Amino acid sequence: MAAVRVTAVAMIKVTIGGFINSLRPSSVIDNINNFIGRSLYLELVSSELDAKTGQEKQPIRSYARKVAGDDADVVTYEADFDVPAGFGEVGAVLVTNEHHREIFLEGVNLSSPGADGPLLAIRCNSWVQPKSGGAPGSRVFFANKPYLPRQTPPGLQSYRKKDLEQKRGNGSGQRKATDRIYDYDTYNDLGDPDNDADKARPVLGGSKQFPYPRRCRTGRPATIKDPKTETRGRENYVPRDEAFSDVKTLQFSGRTLRSALYAAMAARKSTLIDRNLAFPSFFVIDKLFEDGIKLPRASQPAGFLRGVVQRLLQSLRGRLGDHVFLFDTPANVQKDKFAWLRDEEFARETLAGVNPCAIELVREFPLKSKLDPAVYGPAESAITADLLEGQMGHVMTVAKAVKHKRLFMLDYHDLFLPYVHKIRALEHTTMYGSRTIFFLCDEGTLRLLAIELTRPASSSQPQWRRVFTPSTDTTESWLWQMAKSHVRAHDSGHHELITHWLRTHCAVEPYIIAANRQLSEMHPVYRLLHPHFRYTMKINAVARSSLINAGGIVEFCWPLQKYSTELSSMAYDQLWRFDMEALPADLIRRGMAEEDPEAEHGLKLTIQDYPFANDGLLIWDAIKGWVQAYVARFYPDARSVAGDAELQAFWTEVRTVGHGDKKDAEWWPSLDTPESLAYTLTTIIWVASAHHAAVDFGQYDFGGYIPNRPSAARTNMPVEEPVDAGVLAAFLDNPDQALRECFPSQVQATLVMAMLVLLSTHSPDEEYLGGLDTALWNDDDAVQAAYGKFSARLKEIEGIIDGRNMDGKLKNRCGAGIVPYELMKPFSQAGVTGKGIPNSTSI
């Protein structure tokens, strides 16, 4: 039989980096290579072995030539091949970049004259480094047909193995921005002892004292003053394909710069007087949303960059006119400016706010600490049954309320108490351990009953604690407002460091590293998980650079200050368990649900109107159904799961390396059946997508107005013993001012607001759970049908959520001045919307 003429069309995306590089001298050589058709080298790889030799067939090679096109965003190259009869099915394409700069290869399509449609469409979406830059030979891109390891066509087996070896690297050397190597290291790069001794921080991970997940290895040298700490760089390395897209980079940089400019100007004005200056009035807080702030006019550079600067300043202009910017009014303030004062809203936000994963059922009474009483003082809480029964209006006893599951709690007592004296030794901040008690009313809402604040015993003082309650007495009423502000600050710290950072960003990174090191890109599980890892490593790298690092925004603005990440390490040690990260397991652990085979989702909620759980379970079940169908397509029985060498290596590395400080825990699931595999993958996808969305994209709506969710409490309660007579007198004279002085300073508040705007913003290129953007990564008909069903179900869920938000019987999500609960709505437009579930932890 005659050879078949096959044409390969390679599509290269035009990027900002590529445009800037085109101005460099090396682009002249690239233009010459393009002209003579020697800038891109393609090789077709057969899936079969040579029948005579039993060896791999030689690839068919050809240079690709640049062809003209109308698409300004994509450059097209074509190569012609004469494929001999008997070559077999093309299973991969090898690509060698002969340019002098990297290229972003979107895909390669193979076609043949007379064929009905393309013979093969290979989606690449990857950076290919230039051969001249020392890239390790050609890059392999596999066809869009997934294979388990034992099913790999013989002609592709060595390519599969070699590609994984390249991504693992050899564990040595400092990583370059162009590398695609995935490896592990501890969080040993948060401190900066060489520049400031006060910025020394402990290494998180690799010790019993500070256990922690692992992050991506950069290979930078150690600091001079602490050989255990890694030197810091301008940017933290991530593998090249983990970087932000151009759209994301522009959105992130523009939003960051705009927010930072405004916060910096506010900080500069304040530091002329005092960087710790409180807001002089609530009116000044309101002016943050009402008055525009003029942005500085940049000096005009010469040449090419002039237009860039002009466009950047244009993007920073707000709605009020030229060079003016203001913070948008948060959703909760738009709905009810004074909601933050109401106990009902305080309680409602534990179920439908930005940290709905902290509230738990009171299962025994009296409440007792598990900490050592010899160190911290008496273990039994000062909250008594008589006090609670009085606050409940004597409708029932505490014993009956506990029995009938009517009492709930925010418990930040044992978590924060060990850090109270450490934090109080710092300036302009304070800390208590706290317990906050709620009663479930007949209409399904929570009533806030009592707040206990505790200062542990020290060498010079006994334990101090006091229970605060709502009151009609003016003084007690102001003390109540201050106590609520302390709890809000505790909840804000718990949310940012544990619910958000630790449980999503930090815990997910080891899954990404292990998947890229142990699962081939043709593995069906890799292809399932890959969309749910988008941008996570990059945003985590950014966090290590400027958010959670020593002296970063979190340390400056949140209550734990220099002990922030240390506390998250303690929480990882005491609280984090993979098997409890699944939504149903998390609800059961906190006493917010119990198993009930007859109930919807197999769970009976303790609070029926619990918006996060109600909507979250819809999303959980949709993900579970999709993953079960996907797993069933590739794993028919337990033997197929247990016998998958790559899958088992992936899960072993997650447990023993990525989360190696918990490798001996008995609760890790075994991947030995299709059911256990599906549940494990569902949990990973849930955490990376829906859990993160629930605790991230409402941050500005609920925390953008500082009184509603102060990031820190800076002053002690004025009645704390020994009582400072001057402080108490100032409180009694002007309690309004005392409360504002307890809030974050003007500088802290504006920085927090700027950060929350950024973290709450959807990028224009966001890829949403069940969206069409990720529907094309697998050509299998059964997989496509299952994904279509999943996507359709998510659209149905959007309608269900809309209906719930209009149901007047659901008082925790519908009512006068209430922000509707939309954080579990799967889809959104770009911007700060308070809804939308991206596939991944992408911001």
mmCIF file of all heavy atoms in Angstrom, residues 53-95:
data_model
loop_
_atom_site.group_PDB
_atom_site.id
_atom_site.type_symbol
_atom_site.label_atom_id
_atom_site.label_comp_id
_atom_site.label_asym_id
_atom_site.label_seq_id
_atom_site.Cartn_x
_atom_site.Cartn_y
_atom_site.Cartn_z
ATOM 1 N N THR A 53 11.435 -6.279 14.481
ATOM 2 C CA THR A 53 12.491 -6.081 15.476
ATOM 3 C C THR A 53 11.983 -6.065 16.911
ATOM 4 O O THR A 53 12.763 -6.255 17.843
ATOM 5 C CB THR A 53 13.222 -4.756 15.214
ATOM 6 O OG1 THR A 53 12.303 -3.661 15.429
ATOM 7 C CG2 THR A 53 13.734 -4.696 13.784
ATOM 8 N N GLY A 54 10.672 -5.832 17.065
ATOM 9 C CA GLY A 54 10.127 -5.697 18.407
ATOM 10 C C GLY A 54 10.527 -4.392 19.084
ATOM 11 O O GLY A 54 10.292 -4.207 20.283
ATOM 12 N N GLN A 55 11.123 -3.482 18.310
ATOM 13 C CA GLN A 55 11.540 -2.186 18.836
ATOM 14 C C GLN A 55 10.534 -1.108 18.412
ATOM 15 O O GLN A 55 9.668 -1.323 17.558
ATOM 16 C CB GLN A 55 12.936 -1.836 18.307
ATOM 17 C CG GLN A 55 14.003 -2.865 18.633
ATOM 18 C CD GLN A 55 14.229 -3.001 20.125
ATOM 19 O OE1 GLN A 55 14.360 -2.008 20.833
ATOM 20 N NE2 GLN A 55 14.274 -4.244 20.601
ATOM 21 N N GLU A 56 10.688 0.070 19.013
ATOM 22 C CA GLU A 56 9.836 1.184 18.614
ATOM 23 C C GLU A 56 10.110 1.559 17.156
ATOM 24 O O GLU A 56 11.259 1.520 16.710
ATOM 25 C CB GLU A 56 10.111 2.400 19.511
ATOM 26 C CG GLU A 56 9.697 2.205 20.958
ATOM 27 C CD GLU A 56 10.169 3.351 21.837
ATOM 28 O OE1 GLU A 56 10.880 4.233 21.322
ATOM 29 O OE2 GLU A 56 9.849 3.343 23.038
ATOM 30 N N LYS A 57 9.067 1.893 16.470
ATOM 31 C CA LYS A 57 9.228 2.356 15.101
ATOM 32 C C LYS A 57 9.838 3.759 15.107
ATOM 33 O O LYS A 57 9.594 4.555 16.008
ATOM 34 C CB LYS A 57 7.872 2.386 14.392
ATOM 35 C CG LYS A 57 7.256 1.015 14.198
ATOM 36 C CD LYS A 57 5.941 1.097 13.449
ATOM 37 C CE LYS A 57 5.340 -0.302 13.235
ATOM 38 N NZ LYS A 57 4.060 -0.253 12.504
ATOM 39 N N GLN A 58 10.650 4.015 14.113
ATOM 40 C CA GLN A 58 11.242 5.339 14.012
ATOM 41 C C GLN A 58 10.146 6.375 13.744
ATOM 42 O O GLN A 58 9.285 6.184 12.877
ATOM 43 C CB GLN A 58 12.252 5.373 12.858
ATOM 44 C CG GLN A 58 13.568 4.682 13.175
ATOM 45 C CD GLN A 58 14.311 5.372 14.310
ATOM 46 O OE1 GLN A 58 14.433 6.594 14.333
ATOM 47 N NE2 GLN A 58 14.804 4.564 15.252
ATOM 48 N N PRO A 59 10.145 7.468 14.485
ATOM 49 C CA PRO A 59 9.147 8.521 14.209
ATOM 50 C C PRO A 59 9.327 9.083 12.807
ATOM 51 O O PRO A 59 10.427 9.044 12.231
ATOM 52 C CB PRO A 59 9.451 9.576 15.270
ATOM 53 C CG PRO A 59 10.212 8.861 16.335
ATOM 54 C CD PRO A 59 11.007 7.800 15.619
ATOM 55 N N ILE A 60 8.264 9.612 12.273
ATOM 56 C CA ILE A 60 8.300 10.275 10.971
ATOM 57 C C ILE A 60 8.481 11.763 11.237
ATOM 58 O O ILE A 60 7.702 12.367 11.988
ATOM 59 C CB ILE A 60 7.017 10.007 10.179
ATOM 60 C CG1 ILE A 60 6.794 8.503 10.044
ATOM 61 C CG2 ILE A 60 7.083 10.676 8.814
ATOM 62 C CD1 ILE A 60 5.479 8.153 9.434
ATOM 63 N N ARG A 61 9.479 12.375 10.626
ATOM 64 C CA ARG A 61 9.909 13.713 10.980
ATOM 65 C C ARG A 61 9.667 14.712 9.855
ATOM 66 O O ARG A 61 9.732 14.363 8.691
ATOM 67 C CB ARG A 61 11.393 13.711 11.360
ATOM 68 C CG ARG A 61 11.752 12.764 12.486
ATOM 69 C CD ARG A 61 13.259 12.701 12.706
ATOM 70 N NE ARG A 61 13.614 11.901 13.876
ATOM 71 C CZ ARG A 61 13.845 10.601 13.859
ATOM 72 N NH1 ARG A 61 13.752 9.952 12.702
ATOM 73 N NH2 ARG A 61 14.151 9.965 14.968
ATOM 74 N N SER A 62 9.420 15.956 10.302
ATOM 75 C CA SER A 62 9.286 17.023 9.313
ATOM 76 C C SER A 62 9.360 18.373 10.026
ATOM 77 O O SER A 62 8.867 18.525 11.147
ATOM 78 C CB SER A 62 7.960 16.913 8.565
ATOM 79 O OG SER A 62 7.817 17.989 7.652
ATOM 80 N N TYR A 63 9.998 19.337 9.351
ATOM 81 C CA TYR A 63 9.944 20.713 9.844
ATOM 82 C C TYR A 63 8.585 21.321 9.489
ATOM 83 O O TYR A 63 8.009 21.000 8.436
ATOM 84 C CB TYR A 63 11.054 21.562 9.232
ATOM 85 C CG TYR A 63 12.367 21.447 9.964
ATOM 86 C CD1 TYR A 63 13.397 20.655 9.457
ATOM 87 C CD2 TYR A 63 12.575 22.139 11.162
ATOM 88 C CE1 TYR A 63 14.610 20.552 10.130
ATOM 89 C CE2 TYR A 63 13.783 22.030 11.836
ATOM 90 C CZ TYR A 63 14.790 21.240 11.329
ATOM 91 O OH TYR A 63 15.973 21.133 11.993
ATOM 92 N N ALA A 64 8.098 22.162 10.347
ATOM 93 C CA ALA A 64 6.843 22.856 10.083
ATOM 94 C C ALA A 64 7.147 24.263 9.599
ATOM 95 O O ALA A 64 8.116 24.892 10.038
ATOM 96 C CB ALA A 64 5.985 22.905 11.346
ATOM 97 N N ARG A 65 6.316 24.748 8.703
ATOM 98 C CA ARG A 65 6.498 26.080 8.148
ATOM 99 C C ARG A 65 5.385 26.995 8.674
ATOM 100 O O ARG A 65 4.241 26.565 8.858
ATOM 101 C CB ARG A 65 6.461 26.043 6.629
ATOM 102 C CG ARG A 65 5.158 25.524 6.071
ATOM 103 C CD ARG A 65 5.222 25.203 4.593
ATOM 104 N NE ARG A 65 3.952 24.649 4.126
ATOM 105 C CZ ARG A 65 3.589 23.377 4.277
ATOM 106 N NH1 ARG A 65 4.415 22.518 4.862
ATOM 107 N NH2 ARG A 65 2.416 22.957 3.822
ATOM 108 N N LYS A 66 5.738 28.214 8.916
ATOM 109 C CA LYS A 66 4.757 29.196 9.368
ATOM 110 C C LYS A 66 3.857 29.585 8.209
ATOM 111 O O LYS A 66 4.336 29.831 7.093
ATOM 112 C CB LYS A 66 5.468 30.427 9.924
ATOM 113 C CG LYS A 66 4.544 31.467 10.535
ATOM 114 C CD LYS A 66 5.361 32.634 11.105
ATOM 115 C CE LYS A 66 4.440 33.694 11.694
ATOM 116 N NZ LYS A 66 5.221 34.840 12.243
ATOM 117 N N VAL A 67 2.552 29.596 8.468
ATOM 118 C CA VAL A 67 1.597 29.948 7.421
ATOM 119 C C VAL A 67 0.823 31.179 7.844
ATOM 120 O O VAL A 67 0.631 31.461 9.033
ATOM 121 C CB VAL A 67 0.623 28.782 7.122
ATOM 122 C CG1 VAL A 67 1.386 27.579 6.592
ATOM 123 C CG2 VAL A 67 -0.182 28.399 8.355
ATOM 124 N N ALA A 68 0.383 31.926 6.858
ATOM 125 C CA ALA A 68 -0.374 33.151 7.124
ATOM 126 C C ALA A 68 -1.742 32.794 7.680
ATOM 127 O O ALA A 68 -2.312 31.749 7.383
ATOM 128 C CB ALA A 68 -0.511 33.966 5.841
ATOM 129 N N GLY A 69 -2.265 33.674 8.502
ATOM 130 C CA GLY A 69 -3.587 33.457 9.068
ATOM 131 C C GLY A 69 -4.205 34.758 9.529
ATOM 132 O O GLY A 69 -3.519 35.772 9.692
ATOM 133 N N ASP A 70 -5.508 34.743 9.721
ATOM 134 C CA ASP A 70 -6.225 35.950 10.125
ATOM 135 C C ASP A 70 -6.353 36.079 11.645
ATOM 136 O O ASP A 70 -6.746 37.127 12.143
ATOM 137 C CB ASP A 70 -7.641 35.955 9.512
ATOM 138 C CG ASP A 70 -7.598 35.985 7.988
ATOM 139 O OD1 ASP A 70 -6.642 36.567 7.448
ATOM 140 O OD2 ASP A 70 -8.521 35.414 7.360
ATOM 141 N N ASP A 71 -6.026 35.025 12.366
ATOM 142 C CA ASP A 71 -6.197 35.031 13.811
ATOM 143 C C ASP A 71 -5.010 35.726 14.466
ATOM 144 O O ASP A 71 -3.872 35.249 14.385
ATOM 145 C CB ASP A 71 -6.329 33.594 14.343
ATOM 146 C CG ASP A 71 -6.803 33.556 15.786
ATOM 147 O OD1 ASP A 71 -6.659 34.572 16.498
ATOM 148 O OD2 ASP A 71 -7.321 32.493 16.202
ATOM 149 N N ALA A 72 -5.269 36.866 15.109
ATOM 150 C CA ALA A 72 -4.184 37.630 15.723
ATOM 151 C C ALA A 72 -3.674 36.972 16.990
ATOM 152 O O ALA A 72 -2.597 37.312 17.483
ATOM 153 C CB ALA A 72 -4.661 39.049 16.033
ATOM 154 N N ASP A 73 -4.438 36.035 17.544
ATOM 155 C CA ASP A 73 -4.064 35.415 18.808
ATOM 156 C C ASP A 73 -3.312 34.101 18.635
ATOM 157 O O ASP A 73 -2.764 33.580 19.594
ATOM 158 C CB ASP A 73 -5.315 35.156 19.659
ATOM 159 C CG ASP A 73 -6.015 36.443 20.043
ATOM 160 O OD1 ASP A 73 -5.309 37.443 20.265
ATOM 161 O OD2 ASP A 73 -7.257 36.450 20.112
ATOM 162 N N VAL A 74 -3.329 33.544 17.421
ATOM 163 C CA VAL A 74 -2.719 32.238 17.189
ATOM 164 C C VAL A 74 -1.863 32.286 15.926
ATOM 165 O O VAL A 74 -2.297 32.813 14.896
ATOM 166 C CB VAL A 74 -3.790 31.132 17.050
ATOM 167 C CG1 VAL A 74 -3.131 29.795 16.720
ATOM 168 C CG2 VAL A 74 -4.607 31.014 18.332
ATOM 169 N N VAL A 75 -0.653 31.750 16.022
ATOM 170 C CA VAL A 75 0.223 31.584 14.858
ATOM 171 C C VAL A 75 0.189 30.114 14.459
ATOM 172 O O VAL A 75 0.311 29.228 15.316
ATOM 173 C CB VAL A 75 1.668 32.012 15.176
ATOM 174 C CG1 VAL A 75 2.580 31.731 13.994
ATOM 175 C CG2 VAL A 75 1.711 33.486 15.561
ATOM 176 N N THR A 76 0.010 29.864 13.180
ATOM 177 C CA THR A 76 -0.159 28.494 12.689
ATOM 178 C C THR A 76 1.077 28.034 11.919
ATOM 179 O O THR A 76 1.644 28.780 11.124
ATOM 180 C CB THR A 76 -1.394 28.405 11.775
ATOM 181 O OG1 THR A 76 -2.554 28.807 12.512
ATOM 182 C CG2 THR A 76 -1.604 26.978 11.282
ATOM 183 N N TYR A 77 1.465 26.783 12.216
ATOM 184 C CA TYR A 77 2.553 26.139 11.490
ATOM 185 C C TYR A 77 2.009 24.847 10.889
ATOM 186 O O TYR A 77 1.183 24.170 11.508
ATOM 187 C CB TYR A 77 3.720 25.798 12.418
ATOM 188 C CG TYR A 77 4.537 26.992 12.846
ATOM 189 C CD1 TYR A 77 4.073 27.863 13.823
ATOM 190 C CD2 TYR A 77 5.784 27.234 12.272
ATOM 191 C CE1 TYR A 77 4.820 28.956 14.214
ATOM 192 C CE2 TYR A 77 6.553 28.330 12.664
ATOM 193 C CZ TYR A 77 6.060 29.193 13.644
ATOM 194 O OH TYR A 77 6.805 30.263 14.026
ATOM 195 N N GLU A 78 2.501 24.508 9.686
ATOM 196 C CA GLU A 78 2.072 23.278 9.023
ATOM 197 C C GLU A 78 3.284 22.438 8.641
ATOM 198 O O GLU A 78 4.325 22.964 8.248
ATOM 199 C CB GLU A 78 1.254 23.590 7.769
ATOM 200 C CG GLU A 78 -0.138 24.125 8.054
ATOM 201 C CD GLU A 78 -0.967 24.260 6.789
ATOM 202 O OE1 GLU A 78 -0.434 23.917 5.698
ATOM 203 O OE2 GLU A 78 -2.125 24.715 6.880
ATOM 204 N N ALA A 79 3.106 21.136 8.743
ATOM 205 C CA ALA A 79 4.143 20.190 8.316
ATOM 206 C C ALA A 79 3.471 19.045 7.571
ATOM 207 O O ALA A 79 2.380 18.601 7.958
ATOM 208 C CB ALA A 79 4.911 19.662 9.514
ATOM 209 N N ASP A 80 4.097 18.572 6.532
ATOM 210 C CA ASP A 80 3.567 17.458 5.743
ATOM 211 C C ASP A 80 4.391 16.201 5.999
ATOM 212 O O ASP A 80 5.629 16.247 6.092
ATOM 213 C CB ASP A 80 3.588 17.799 4.254
ATOM 214 C CG ASP A 80 2.594 18.907 3.906
ATOM 215 O OD1 ASP A 80 1.502 18.919 4.507
ATOM 216 O OD2 ASP A 80 2.936 19.757 3.059
ATOM 217 N N PHE A 81 3.686 15.088 6.119
ATOM 218 C CA PHE A 81 4.333 13.800 6.357
ATOM 219 C C PHE A 81 3.804 12.778 5.355
ATOM 220 O O PHE A 81 2.603 12.781 5.037
ATOM 221 C CB PHE A 81 4.025 13.287 7.770
ATOM 222 C CG PHE A 81 4.437 14.193 8.879
ATOM 223 C CD1 PHE A 81 3.595 15.202 9.329
ATOM 224 C CD2 PHE A 81 5.673 14.050 9.494
ATOM 225 C CE1 PHE A 81 3.965 16.037 10.359
ATOM 226 C CE2 PHE A 81 6.055 14.879 10.528
ATOM 227 C CZ PHE A 81 5.202 15.870 10.962
ATOM 228 N N ASP A 82 4.663 11.901 4.907
ATOM 229 C CA ASP A 82 4.242 10.733 4.131
ATOM 230 C C ASP A 82 4.320 9.533 5.066
ATOM 231 O O ASP A 82 5.403 9.010 5.357
ATOM 232 C CB ASP A 82 5.136 10.538 2.912
ATOM 233 C CG ASP A 82 4.904 11.613 1.861
ATOM 234 O OD1 ASP A 82 3.736 11.999 1.658
ATOM 235 O OD2 ASP A 82 5.900 12.090 1.266
ATOM 236 N N VAL A 83 3.162 9.122 5.570
ATOM 237 C CA VAL A 83 3.095 8.051 6.562
ATOM 238 C C VAL A 83 2.998 6.722 5.826
ATOM 239 O O VAL A 83 2.030 6.472 5.090
ATOM 240 C CB VAL A 83 1.885 8.239 7.494
ATOM 241 C CG1 VAL A 83 1.822 7.107 8.509
ATOM 242 C CG2 VAL A 83 1.953 9.594 8.188
ATOM 243 N N PRO A 84 3.991 5.853 5.990
ATOM 244 C CA PRO A 84 3.987 4.590 5.249
ATOM 245 C C PRO A 84 2.891 3.666 5.733
ATOM 246 O O PRO A 84 2.436 3.742 6.880
ATOM 247 C CB PRO A 84 5.373 4.009 5.537
ATOM 248 C CG PRO A 84 5.773 4.612 6.843
ATOM 249 C CD PRO A 84 5.186 5.986 6.857
ATOM 250 N N ALA A 85 2.468 2.783 4.859
ATOM 251 C CA ALA A 85 1.474 1.772 5.241
ATOM 252 C C ALA A 85 2.050 0.915 6.362
ATOM 253 O O ALA A 85 3.237 0.589 6.392
ATOM 254 C CB ALA A 85 1.132 0.908 4.038
ATOM 255 N N GLY A 86 1.200 0.579 7.304
ATOM 256 C CA GLY A 86 1.642 -0.256 8.405
ATOM 257 C C GLY A 86 2.309 0.512 9.529
ATOM 258 O O GLY A 86 2.832 -0.096 10.466
ATOM 259 N N PHE A 87 2.324 1.849 9.427
ATOM 260 C CA PHE A 87 2.936 2.640 10.501
ATOM 261 C C PHE A 87 2.147 2.504 11.803
ATOM 262 O O PHE A 87 2.705 2.548 12.887
ATOM 263 C CB PHE A 87 3.012 4.112 10.076
ATOM 264 C CG PHE A 87 3.680 5.012 11.095
ATOM 265 C CD1 PHE A 87 5.053 4.976 11.264
ATOM 266 C CD2 PHE A 87 2.926 5.874 11.887
ATOM 267 C CE1 PHE A 87 5.668 5.808 12.205
ATOM 268 C CE2 PHE A 87 3.532 6.697 12.811
ATOM 269 C CZ PHE A 87 4.913 6.669 12.979
ATOM 270 N N GLY A 88 0.855 2.311 11.658
ATOM 271 C CA GLY A 88 0.009 2.179 12.837
ATOM 272 C C GLY A 88 -0.559 3.518 13.276
ATOM 273 O O GLY A 88 -0.294 4.573 12.697
ATOM 274 N N GLU A 89 -1.351 3.458 14.306
ATOM 275 C CA GLU A 89 -2.019 4.648 14.828
ATOM 276 C C GLU A 89 -1.002 5.596 15.446
ATOM 277 O O GLU A 89 -0.116 5.182 16.196
ATOM 278 C CB GLU A 89 -3.056 4.242 15.876
ATOM 279 C CG GLU A 89 -3.855 5.407 16.453
ATOM 280 C CD GLU A 89 -4.873 4.956 17.485
ATOM 281 O OE1 GLU A 89 -4.929 3.737 17.757
ATOM 282 O OE2 GLU A 89 -5.591 5.810 18.025
ATOM 283 N N VAL A 90 -1.139 6.885 15.103
ATOM 284 C CA VAL A 90 -0.278 7.898 15.725
ATOM 285 C C VAL A 90 -0.733 8.091 17.174
ATOM 286 O O VAL A 90 -1.890 8.424 17.442
ATOM 287 C CB VAL A 90 -0.342 9.231 14.962
ATOM 288 C CG1 VAL A 90 0.466 10.307 15.696
ATOM 289 C CG2 VAL A 90 0.187 9.052 13.541
ATOM 290 N N GLY A 91 0.175 7.870 18.107
ATOM 291 C CA GLY A 91 -0.174 7.970 19.527
ATOM 292 C C GLY A 91 0.373 9.184 20.219
ATOM 293 O O GLY A 91 -0.038 9.512 21.336
ATOM 294 N N ALA A 92 1.314 9.876 19.573
ATOM 295 C CA ALA A 92 1.918 11.054 20.184
ATOM 296 C C ALA A 92 2.639 11.859 19.121
ATOM 297 O O ALA A 92 2.931 11.371 18.027
ATOM 298 C CB ALA A 92 2.896 10.658 21.295
ATOM 299 N N VAL A 93 2.920 13.108 19.462
ATOM 300 C CA VAL A 93 3.721 13.989 18.607
ATOM 301 C C VAL A 93 4.873 14.518 19.439
ATOM 302 O O VAL A 93 4.684 14.963 20.581
ATOM 303 C CB VAL A 93 2.877 15.164 18.065
ATOM 304 C CG1 VAL A 93 3.766 16.159 17.330
ATOM 305 C CG2 VAL A 93 1.792 14.663 17.138
ATOM 306 N N LEU A 94 6.075 14.447 18.882
ATOM 307 C CA LEU A 94 7.243 15.049 19.508
ATOM 308 C C LEU A 94 7.450 16.433 18.905
ATOM 309 O O LEU A 94 7.378 16.601 17.678
ATOM 310 C CB LEU A 94 8.493 14.202 19.276
ATOM 311 C CG LEU A 94 8.451 12.744 19.753
ATOM 312 C CD1 LEU A 94 9.769 12.043 19.443
ATOM 313 C CD2 LEU A 94 8.152 12.677 21.245
ATOM 314 N N VAL A 95 7.700 17.413 19.764
ATOM 315 C CA VAL A 95 7.844 18.794 19.309
ATOM 316 C C VAL A 95 9.192 19.327 19.775
ATOM 317 O O VAL A 95 9.513 19.272 20.970
ATOM 318 C CB VAL A 95 6.712 19.688 19.866
ATOM 319 C CG1 VAL A 95 6.894 21.132 19.412
ATOM 320 C CG2 VAL A 95 5.350 19.156 19.438
#
